[in-house]
Amino acid sequence: MNYFKTLKAAVNIATSATYEIDWTKPEVKEAAIIHWKEVKAAADPALPLASMRLTAEQNAALVKLLDNKGIFPDEPTEELLDGLPNAIPEASLNRIVGSIIYECLNNHKHTAVVPAA
């Protein structure tokens, strides 16, 4: 079953549109927090592919951010959100979850939301 989710994630990544999103901006982090369940649902199936696309340093950073669990946590932390742009290339983040963030940024008013430390 996980094989099919990973295969579907690979196809979705290859065929998806790309978005220009600055993952270091507070409003982008806020959108990720607001839509974390959607972000997690889209990103978790792509994680098995990460080691094939990331440098050794990026992969090590991602493994550390995920606390060696191989999936994103149920709730994002500030450390995770701050570390993702260093662990996963921006183009990959944009392809995998860019549509979720882009939609949120263009359709919602944002106020400061601080994730758990």
CSV table of all heavy atoms in Angstrom, one decimal, residues 19 55 87:
chain,number,residue,atom,x,y,z
A,19,TYR,N,5.5,26.7,-8.0
A,19,TYR,CA,5.1,28.0,-7.5
A,19,TYR,C,6.3,28.7,-7.0
A,19,TYR,O,7.3,28.0,-6.5
A,19,TYR,CB,4.1,27.8,-6.4
A,19,TYR,CG,2.8,27.1,-6.8
A,19,TYR,CD1,2.7,25.7,-6.8
A,19,TYR,CD2,1.7,27.8,-7.3
A,19,TYR,CE1,1.6,25.1,-7.3
A,19,TYR,CE2,0.6,27.2,-7.7
A,19,TYR,CZ,0.5,25.8,-7.7
A,19,TYR,OH,-0.6,25.2,-8.2
A,55,THR,N,20.9,16.0,-1.3
A,55,THR,CA,22.3,15.7,-1.0
A,55,THR,C,22.4,15.0,0.3
A,55,THR,O,21.4,15.0,1.1
A,55,THR,CB,23.1,17.0,-1.0
A,55,THR,OG1,22.6,17.7,0.2
A,55,THR,CG2,23.0,17.9,-2.2
A,87,ALA,N,16.7,21.9,4.4
A,87,ALA,CA,16.7,20.4,4.2
A,87,ALA,C,16.2,20.0,2.8
A,87,ALA,O,16.6,19.0,2.2
A,87,ALA,CB,16.0,19.7,5.3
